[in-house]
Each structure stands twice: as structure tokens, then as C-alpha cells.
Amino acid sequence: MTHKPRLPREKTALILEGGGAKGAFEAGVIKYIHEKKIPVDIVCGTSVGAINAAAFAFNKVKDLIKFWSWITPEHVYYPWPAHSLKDLLSFTHIFTNSPLEKTLRNIFNRVRMDKSPMPIVLTAFNLQKATVETFDHKSKIDLVDVLMASSAIQGIFPPRVIANQQYIDGGNGDNLPLKYAIDEGCKRLIVARCNIPKNNGDGTYNSFFEIVERSFISHFDYMSREDIRRANKISEYVKRQAKKDEAVIGLLEEKIKDKALLSNLKAKIALMPSVIPEKFQIEIMVIEPDFMPIEIMEFESDASRRLLDHGYEKAEEILTAKSEELAESL
């Protein structure tokens, strides 16, 4: 019998990675979190992760599951209109993603970001400023505009214009937006990854596009793993340092009876350069697929349903195991 996860009540964030069609896996994770009513205080997402994050924040989980269960390429894009290489080079994109916008309008209508029922942070890359920008629950901007900007894969879909600025896929600068949750003081990060390379066995890559796509995905996969590794390493260091500081303070309390002097020394220890902000003491729970049958542009309903189920199962496995582990340590 599977018990409902009992997560000790720390400020919790749900982080959703970019990954195109692979985002169906994240939808399965969201379905589990939604059904089990696991508390989430803020949701952060990039690209397809932004779309999934918006559905979670705006209570559109049923619509999200329906979207992924029956998705086809025609729900997302139309083929590029060029007829020659010369035509292609004159365009800013290969496909038009107007079908995706129509679908998102049907789900979200014309709601603004600042109408979100919960804190949300979405990212997109500003071409003019050459930097990642965030749109949150305080932004008075149309939600679908932000989703189209965040998921505008460069060269594949057209840039989205918001306030006279061109935006493309947020994954160009931050495909796994951990730092925004950390800055918000979240101690527990539920990280749903989907952008792992497609399982290909010993297959070879024999075309320009296959090689570019494989290297593109592998690069983002590596960067996300590095972001998680660095965050864990910093957190472990902070926890070790905190124990050292506690030991020093304990020794001072044992030896110094003058309360004023003791208070002064504690204040000075807190200001020491070695003391890293407590916000970096975090717990990261990574939920990622064991297999990946598709690439980012392969919107196939059968594969999406498999990933939905797999995401649900992996969320149950990771969150249940982690909640029991944490409960035992209380």
C-alpha cells in the first residue's frame, strides 16, 4: 500500500525544466503532486516547463493532462513556409507555432501573470539585451505572451515581441531555474527534469540536423546536471560550516558567563565572511525519466502518454522515499 507523502513543512518550490515534447514527463509529475496535494509555495519554469508551471499555478492541471494525452505536431506548429535554402535563410524561424498559441488561449484565455493564485516565475531570453529575464506573479503581462516567449526555440519558432523587445526560449540562459526559488527562501526544491537525450542504443547520427539536435540536447542536459551539482555542493558546504559555527558558539557559551560579551561575540561570528547565508541550506529532490523515447520536436500522443505515466510513477517513487527518509530524521 502506498501512503500519501508526508513532507515536513518547509518552504517548497517546484522547478520545471525546458525540453519541448519531453515536457509530458513533467506533466505526469504535476499530476501526482496535484492529486496528493503536496504543498508547493512557488513554481518556476522555462520553455515547456513554463507552460507546465502555468497550468499548475492557474489550476489547469486537468487541461494540461488532456493537452499532453492527445498532442500531435498539428497542435503545436505548422511547417516552415520557405521553398528553398535562400528562402529559409531569410526567415527568423522554420515553423510557425500559432497552433500552440491557439491551444494556450483555449486553456488560459487572456489572463495576466499577476492574476496567478500562487507565486510563479517564468524565464525568457531577451535578444536585445542578450540576457535572461523573469516574469513573475507581479508582472502585469499577458500570460500566454510570456509562455510563447519562453518556449520560442531559437530558429525553430518565431521570437515573441513583448513591450517592443524580442524574446526567445528561456533555456538559452537558464533551462533549469533553480536560483529564483533559492532567492525566494525555499528550503526544499522538487526538480522535475525532462530534457535528457533520447535513447538511441548504438545508433549513429548521419545528418547535419541529427548531429546538431543531439549536441544541443546534450549541452542542456549537462548544464542542468551541473546546476544541480553546484547547488548541492554549496548546500553541503553551508551545512558543514553551520555545524562548525554551532560548535564554536557552544564552546563560547560554556566558557563565557558575561551575557553582554557573549551576545557581542555571537553577532561578530554571524558577520564573518565564512558564514554563508542560510538560504543556501537546501534539499533538492530530482525527478527525472529513466528512458526518453522522443526528441524535443517529436510531439506524439502515444509517447506522451507513456511519459505522463512514467512521470507520475517517478514522482511517487522519489517523493514517497524522500518523505519517509525526512520523517525518520525528525
Side-chain angles (χ1 to χ4, degrees):
M1 178 178 177
T2 300
H3 297 284
K4 178 180 176 180
R6 297 169 295 162
L7 294 177
R9 195 68 183 101
E10 294 275 11
K11 190 172 183 181
T12 301
L14 175 61
I15 315 294
L16 301 166
E17 184 181 42
K22 303 175 184 185
F25 176 83
E26 295 177 348
V29 174
I30 287 173
K31 181 181 178 183
Y32 180 80
I33 291 173
H34 177 72
E35 284 185 3
K36 303 303 179 183
K37 296 181 172 57
I38 296 174
V40 172
D41 299 287
I42 182 172
V43 59
C44 306
T46 293
S47 195
V48 73
I51 294 173
N52 290 334
F56 182 80
F58 283 83
N59 299 314
K60 299 290 184 178
V61 175
K62 289 184 178 179
D63 293 297
L64 182 71
I65 301 306
K66 182 179 178 181
F67 168 73
W68 283 112
S69 295
W70 301 104
I71 196 167
T72 65
E74 289 74 22
H75 290 111
V76 182
Y77 61 86
Y78 291 135
W80 59 287
H83 299 287
S84 67
L85 179 60
K86 182 179 179 181
D87 287 340
L88 176 60
L89 294 176
S90 69
F91 284 103
T92 60
H93 55 282
I94 299 175
F95 301 106
T96 176
N97 52 355
S98 56
L100 176 61
E101 180 169 6
K102 181 179 179 181
T103 299
L104 294 178
R105 288 289 178 203
N106 287 337
I107 295 174
F108 298 107
N109 206 339
R110 292 193 174 275
V111 67
R112 292 189 327 203
M113 288 282 297
D114 62 340
K115 300 300 181 182
S116 175
M118 67 177 294
I120 181 173
V121 178
L122 310 178
T123 69
F125 189 87
N126 185 314
L127 282 174
Q128 277 69 36
K129 298 178 181 178
T131 188
V132 174
E133 290 188 7
T134 60
F135 300 88
D136 63 18
H137 49 282
K138 299 175 185 176
S139 304
K140 297 182 183 298
I141 298 174
D142 179 77
L143 173 63
V144 172
D145 274 343
V146 175
L147 299 181
M148 295 299 291
S150 184
S151 60
I153 304 172
Q154 65 276 20
I156 303 296
F157 296 137
R160 188 72 171 195
V161 177
I162 299 176
N164 298 318
Q165 299 288 295
Q166 290 177 296
Y167 290 90
I168 58 173
D169 198 298
N172 284 282
D174 197 348
N175 203 42
L176 189 66
L178 299 171
K179 62 184 179 182
Y180 309 106
I182 295 173
D183 287 343
E184 288 294 322
C186 293
K187 297 296 185 183
R188 181 163 297 117
L189 309 185
I190 300 174
V191 177
R193 294 205 55 224
C194 66
N195 198 30
I196 66 171
K198 178 180 179 180
N199 301 100
N200 195 38
D202 297 322
T204 58
Y205 300 89
N206 301 310
S207 74
F208 169 80
F209 287 107
E210 286 178 343
I211 293 170
V212 168
E213 183 176 46
R214 186 69 170 182
S215 60
F216 177 80
I217 298 304
S218 298
H219 168 74
F220 282 108
D221 176 51
Y222 173 78
M223 294 303 295
S224 290
R225 292 186 188 280
E226 278 296 290
D227 285 346
I228 293 170
R229 184 190 67 81
R230 283 192 291 265
N232 275 324
K233 194 167 184 178
I234 292 171
S235 181
E236 289 167 5
Y237 172 80
V238 173
K239 289 172 183 176
R240 288 196 303 269
Q241 188 61 46
K243 287 182 179 180
K244 291 179 182 179
D245 294 336
E246 288 172 6
V248 170
I249 290 173
L251 183 61
L252 291 175
E253 289 175 337
E254 181 183 332
K255 299 295 184 182
I256 299 174
K257 304 305 179 185
D258 186 323
K259 292 184 179 181
L261 176 59
L262 181 60
S263 178
N264 186 40
L265 288 172
K266 285 182 178 180
K268 287 183 177 180
I269 290 174
L271 295 173
M272 289 170 60
S274 63
V275 179
I276 298 177
E278 186 184 350
K279 72 178 183 180
F280 291 110
Q281 295 188 40
I282 56 177
E283 188 80 28
I284 302 179
M285 293 167 280
V286 180
I287 305 171
E288 61 183 3
D290 294 328
F291 65 89
M292 183 48 65
I294 53 176
E295 290 292 9
I296 60 173
M297 293 296 290
E298 295 176 350
F299 294 94
E300 302 169 359
S301 57
D302 287 343
S304 288
R305 286 193 287 270
R306 285 179 62 200
L307 287 173
L308 270 168
D309 292 341
H310 187 43
Y312 188 97
E313 292 164 358
K314 290 298 292 185
E316 182 176 36
E317 173 191 329
I318 299 300
L319 295 181
T320 301
K322 181 60 67 173
S323 66
E324 290 173 354
E325 173 189 322
L326 293 173
E328 288 174 2
S329 67
L330 291 178

